[in-house]
Coordinates of all heavy atoms in Angstrom, one line a residue:
T19 N 70.8 85.5 93.2 CA 70.6 86.6 92.3 C 70.4 86.2 90.9 O 69.7 86.9 90.2 CB 71.9 87.6 92.3 OG1 73.0 86.9 91.8 CG2 72.2 88.1 93.6
G20 N 70.7 84.9 90.6 CA 70.4 84.5 89.2 C 69.1 83.7 89.2 O 68.0 84.2 88.8
K21 N 69.1 82.5 89.7 CA 67.9 81.6 89.7 C 66.7 82.3 90.4 O 65.6 82.2 90.0 CB 68.2 80.3 90.3 CG 67.0 79.3 90.3 CD 67.6 77.9 90.7 CE 66.4 76.9 90.7 NZ 66.9 75.5 91.2
Y22 N 67.0 82.9 91.6 CA 65.9 83.4 92.5 C 65.7 84.9 92.4 O 64.8 85.5 93.0 CB 66.1 83.0 93.9 CG 66.1 81.4 94.0 CD1 67.3 80.8 94.2 CD2 65.0 80.7 93.9 CE1 67.3 79.4 94.3 CE2 64.9 79.3 94.0 CZ 66.1 78.6 94.2 OH 66.2 77.3 94.2
R23 N 66.6 85.5 91.6 CA 66.4 86.9 91.2 C 66.3 87.9 92.3 O 65.5 88.8 92.3 CB 65.2 87.1 90.2 CG 65.4 86.2 89.0 CD 64.5 86.6 87.8 NE 63.0 86.6 88.2 CZ 62.3 85.6 88.1 NH1 62.8 84.4 87.8 NH2 61.0 85.7 88.4
L24 N 67.0 87.7 93.4 CA 67.2 88.7 94.4 C 68.0 89.8 93.9 O 68.7 89.6 92.9 CB 67.8 88.0 95.7 CG 66.9 87.0 96.4 CD1 67.5 86.5 97.7 CD2 65.5 87.5 96.7
S25 N 68.1 90.9 94.6 CA 68.9 92.0 94.2 C 70.3 91.7 94.0 O 70.9 90.8 94.7 CB 68.8 93.1 95.3 OG 69.7 94.1 95.0
T26 N 71.0 92.2 93.0 CA 72.4 91.9 92.6 C 73.3 92.3 93.8 O 74.4 91.8 93.9 CB 72.8 92.5 91.3 OG1 72.7 94.0 91.4 CG2 72.0 91.9 90.2
K27 N 72.8 93.3 94.6 CA 73.6 93.7 95.7 C 72.9 93.4 97.0 O 71.7 93.7 97.2 CB 73.9 95.3 95.7 CG 74.7 95.7 94.5 CD 75.1 97.1 94.5 CE 76.0 97.5 93.4 NZ 76.4 99.0 93.6
C28 N 73.6 92.8 98.0 CA 73.1 92.5 99.2 C 73.6 93.4 100.4 O 74.7 93.9 100.2 CB 73.3 91.0 99.6 SG 75.1 90.6 99.8
V29 N 72.9 93.4 101.4 CA 73.5 94.0 102.7 C 74.1 92.8 103.4 O 73.5 91.7 103.8 CB 72.4 94.6 103.6 CG1 73.0 94.9 105.0 CG2 71.8 95.8 102.9
L30 N 75.4 92.9 103.8 CA 76.1 91.9 104.6 C 76.1 92.3 106.0 O 76.5 93.4 106.4 CB 77.6 91.8 104.1 CG 77.8 91.3 102.7 CD1 79.2 91.5 102.3 CD2 77.5 89.7 102.7
E31 N 75.6 91.3 106.9 CA 75.6 91.5 108.3 C 76.6 90.7 109.0 O 76.5 89.5 109.1 CB 74.2 91.2 108.8 CG 74.1 91.4 110.3 CD 72.7 91.0 110.8 OE1 71.9 90.6 110.0 OE2 72.4 91.2 112.0
G32 N 77.8 91.3 109.5 CA 78.8 90.6 110.1 C 78.7 90.7 111.6 O 79.1 91.8 112.1
F33 N 78.2 89.7 112.3 CA 78.1 89.6 113.7 C 79.3 88.9 114.3 O 79.6 87.8 114.0 CB 76.8 88.9 114.1 CG 76.3 89.1 115.5 CD1 75.4 90.1 115.9 CD2 77.0 88.4 116.6 CE1 75.0 90.2 117.2 CE2 76.6 88.6 117.9 CZ 75.6 89.4 118.2
S34 N 80.0 89.6 115.1 CA 81.3 89.1 115.7 C 82.2 88.5 114.7 O 82.6 89.2 113.8 CB 80.9 88.0 116.8 OG 82.0 87.7 117.6
R35 N 82.6 87.2 114.8 CA 83.6 86.6 113.8 C 82.9 86.7 112.4 O 83.7 86.4 111.4 CB 83.9 85.2 114.2 CG 82.9 84.1 114.0 CD 83.3 82.8 114.7 NE 83.3 82.9 116.0 CZ 83.7 81.9 116.9 NH1 84.0 80.7 116.3 NH2 83.8 81.9 118.2
G36 N 81.6 86.8 112.2 CA 81.0 87.0 111.0 C 81.6 88.2 110.2 O 81.4 88.3 109.0
G37 N 82.2 89.1 110.9 CA 82.8 90.3 110.2 C 83.9 89.9 109.2 O 84.1 90.5 108.2
L38 N 84.7 88.8 109.6 CA 85.7 88.3 108.7 C 85.1 87.9 107.3 O 85.6 88.1 106.3 CB 86.4 87.1 109.3 CG 87.2 87.5 110.6 CD1 87.8 86.2 111.3 CD2 88.5 88.4 110.1
Y39 N 83.9 87.2 107.5 CA 83.2 86.7 106.2 C 82.7 87.9 105.4 O 82.8 88.0 104.2 CB 82.1 85.8 106.6 CG 82.5 84.5 107.3 CD1 82.5 84.5 108.7 CD2 82.7 83.3 106.6 CE1 82.8 83.3 109.4 CE2 83.1 82.2 107.4 CZ 83.2 82.2 108.7 OH 83.4 81.0 109.4
A40 N 82.0 88.8 106.1 CA 81.4 89.9 105.4 C 82.4 90.8 104.7 O 82.2 91.1 103.5 CB 80.6 90.7 106.4
Y41 N 83.5 91.2 105.5 CA 84.4 92.1 104.8 C 85.3 91.4 103.8 O 85.6 92.0 102.7 CB 85.3 92.6 105.9 CG 84.8 93.9 106.5 CD1 84.1 93.8 107.6 CD2 85.0 95.2 105.9 CE1 83.4 95.0 108.2 CE2 84.5 96.3 106.5 CZ 83.7 96.2 107.6 OH 83.2 97.4 108.1
N42 N 85.5 90.2 103.9 CA 86.4 89.4 102.9 C 85.6 89.3 101.6 O 86.1 89.3 100.5 CB 86.9 88.1 103.5 CG 88.0 88.3 104.5 OD1 88.5 89.4 104.7 ND2 88.3 87.2 105.2
F43 N 84.3 88.9 101.8 CA 83.5 88.7 100.6 C 83.3 90.1 99.9 O 83.4 90.2 98.7 CB 82.1 88.2 101.0 CG 81.1 88.1 99.8 CD1 81.2 87.0 99.0 CD2 80.2 89.1 99.5 CE1 80.4 86.8 97.9 CE2 79.4 88.9 98.4 CZ 79.5 87.8 97.6
A44 N 83.1 91.2 100.7 CA 82.9 92.5 100.0 C 84.1 93.0 99.3 O 84.1 93.6 98.2 CB 82.5 93.5 101.2
A45 N 85.3 92.8 100.0 CA 86.6 93.2 99.4 C 86.8 92.4 98.1 O 87.4 93.1 97.1 CB 87.7 93.0 100.3
A46 N 86.4 91.2 97.9 CA 86.7 90.5 96.7 C 85.5 90.7 95.7 O 85.7 90.5 94.5 CB 86.7 89.0 97.0
N47 N 84.4 91.2 96.1 CA 83.2 91.3 95.3 C 82.5 92.7 95.6 O 81.3 92.7 95.9 CB 82.2 90.2 95.6 CG 82.8 88.8 95.3 OD1 82.9 88.3 94.2 ND2 83.3 88.2 96.3
P48 N 83.2 93.8 95.5 CA 82.5 95.0 95.8 C 81.2 95.4 95.1 O 80.4 96.1 95.6 CB 83.6 96.1 95.6 CG 84.6 95.5 94.6 CD 84.5 94.0 95.0
G49 N 81.2 94.9 93.8 CA 80.0 95.2 93.0 C 78.8 94.4 93.4 O 77.7 94.7 92.9
K50 N 78.9 93.5 94.4 CA 77.8 92.6 94.8 C 77.3 93.1 96.1 O 76.4 92.4 96.7 CB 78.2 91.2 94.9 CG 78.7 90.7 93.5 CD 79.2 89.2 93.6 CE 79.7 88.7 92.2 NZ 80.3 87.4 92.4
V51 N 77.8 94.2 96.7 CA 77.5 94.5 98.1 C 76.8 96.0 98.2 O 77.5 96.9 97.6 CB 78.6 94.5 99.0 CG1 78.4 94.9 100.4 CG2 79.3 93.1 99.0
A52 N 75.7 96.1 98.8 CA 75.1 97.4 99.0 C 75.6 98.1 100.2 O 75.8 99.4 100.2 CB 73.6 97.3 99.0
A53 N 75.8 97.4 101.2 CA 76.3 98.0 102.6 C 76.8 96.8 103.4 O 76.5 95.7 103.2 CB 75.2 98.7 103.2
I54 N 77.5 97.2 104.4 CA 78.0 96.3 105.4 C 77.5 96.8 106.8 O 77.8 98.0 107.1 CB 79.5 96.0 105.5 CG1 80.0 95.5 104.2 CG2 79.9 95.2 106.7 CD1 81.5 95.4 104.1
Y55 N 76.8 95.9 107.5 CA 76.4 96.3 108.9 C 77.2 95.3 109.8 O 77.0 94.1 109.8 CB 74.9 96.1 109.1 CG 74.4 96.0 110.5 CD1 74.9 96.9 111.4 CD2 73.5 95.1 110.9 CE1 74.5 96.8 112.7 CE2 73.0 95.0 112.2 CZ 73.6 95.9 113.2 OH 73.1 95.8 114.4
G56 N 78.1 95.9 110.6 CA 79.0 95.1 111.5 C 78.4 95.3 112.9 O 78.4 96.4 113.4
D57 N 78.2 94.2 113.6 CA 77.8 94.2 115.0 C 78.9 93.6 115.8 O 79.1 92.4 115.9 CB 76.5 93.5 115.2 CG 75.8 93.8 116.6 OD1 76.5 93.9 117.6 OD2 74.6 93.9 116.6
A58 N 79.7 94.5 116.4 CA 81.0 93.9 117.1 C 81.7 93.0 116.2 O 82.1 91.9 116.6 CB 80.7 93.3 118.4
P59 N 82.0 93.5 115.0 CA 82.6 92.6 114.0 C 84.1 92.4 114.3 O 84.9 93.3 114.6 CB 82.4 93.3 112.7 CG 82.5 94.7 113.0 CD 81.8 94.8 114.4
V60 N 84.6 91.1 114.0 CA 86.0 90.8 114.0 C 86.6 91.3 112.6 O 86.0 91.0 111.6 CB 86.3 89.2 114.1 CG1 87.7 89.0 114.0 CG2 85.8 88.8 115.4
C61 N 87.5 92.1 112.7 CA 88.1 92.7 111.5 C 89.6 92.4 111.3 O 90.2 92.9 110.4 CB 87.9 94.2 111.4 SG 86.1 94.7 111.3
D62 N 90.1 91.6 112.2 CA 91.5 91.2 112.2 C 91.7 90.0 113.0 O 91.6 90.1 114.2 CB 92.4 92.4 112.8 CG 93.9 92.2 112.5 OD1 94.3 91.0 112.2 OD2 94.7 93.1 112.7
F63 N 92.1 88.9 112.3 CA 92.2 87.6 113.1 C 93.4 87.6 114.0 O 93.5 86.8 114.8 CB 92.0 86.3 112.3 CG 93.0 86.2 111.1 CD1 94.5 86.3 111.4 CD2 92.6 85.9 109.8 CE1 95.4 86.0 110.4 CE2 93.6 85.7 108.8 CZ 94.8 85.8 109.1
K64 N 94.3 88.6 113.8 CA 95.4 88.6 114.7 C 95.0 89.1 116.1 O 95.6 88.8 117.1 CB 96.5 89.7 114.2 CG 97.1 89.2 112.8 CD 98.3 90.1 112.5 CE 97.9 91.5 112.3 NZ 97.1 91.7 111.1
S65 N 93.9 89.9 116.2 CA 93.3 90.3 117.5 C 92.5 89.3 118.0 O 92.7 88.8 119.1 CB 92.5 91.6 117.2 OG 91.9 92.0 118.4

């Protein structure tokens, strides 16, 4: 978003275990996320 000047907000795509990355990044950086698209996303590593 700085050097390459992409949009300050991205769409995060969490596929399977990628849901952990997408949601954790968004929760810590909500101002940097436009939307989350989860495809069978893992949302709890206890499961």
Side-chain angles (χ1 to χ4, degrees):
T19 59
K21 183 175 181 179
Y22 299 105
R23 301 199 301 276
L24 296 185
S25 171
T26 57
K27 292 186 176 184
C28 65
V29 171
L30 291 166
E31 182 183 0
F33 194 103
S34 191
R35 72 188 67 181
L38 293 171
Y39 300 88
Y41 272 93
N42 288 349
F43 179 82
N47 303 276
K50 300 175 183 177
V51 179
I54 298 176
Y55 164 42
D57 196 321
V60 175
C61 293
D62 189 346
F63 60 55
K64 295 191 298 294
S65 175

